[in-house]
Amino acid sequence: MADALKDNPMRFVITNVITMEVEITKSDIKTIVSKASHDNKFNAIKNALAKDIPSFLQKGEYLGWRKVQEGKHEESAFFAYFDREIGVRTILAMRKMKNGGPYKPYAIIDQYTFDNNIGELQKGTPL
């Protein structure tokens, strides 16, 4: 799937609590797949889910958003999180690019990573 996006990024608009103009590139998929967890079963599920980000966003539950940690991801305005239970809890991190740019998928993480690395999560519509 990632190769199909090489010269032709997927673009769409979706509303799930918040309205997002989304862009998915080959690089985005490669980033998601490269972020391995300690659980091989979760890695297999994550990699399968990365093939259908639009479905994840449609069926997922919006959890909220958080500001970017200082000194990290300077190209991003904030991250929004969506939860989907598929035998195991999976959380999709979408980053909103600065200067009116699109939302881009960044990672699909497990419950442990979400609980220990997210920081302060805000409910409602992002700034």
Side-chain angles (χ1 to χ4, degrees), residues 68-109:
V68 176
Q69 295 175 353
E70 191 171 325
K72 290 188 163 193
H73 308 290
E74 294 179 6
E75 71 286 354
S76 303
F78 59 84
F79 284 82
Y81 296 90
F82 295 83
D83 176 19
R84 191 150 175 219
E85 184 79 32
I86 305 177
V88 64
R89 186 173 187 206
T90 57
I91 296 119
L92 171 62
M94 296 290 292
R95 60 186 181 151
K96 171 67 171 146
M97 305 310 286
K98 284 186 176 175
N99 301 323
Y103 282 82
K104 298 179 75 54
Y106 180 70
I108 297 174
I109 57 177

Side-chain angles (χ1 to χ4, degrees), residues 111-124:
Q111 181 71 51
Y112 176 82
T113 303
F114 182 75
D115 289 343
N116 291 296
N117 297 308
I118 295 309
E120 188 176 340
L121 195 64
Q122 307 287 323
K123 299 292 182 182

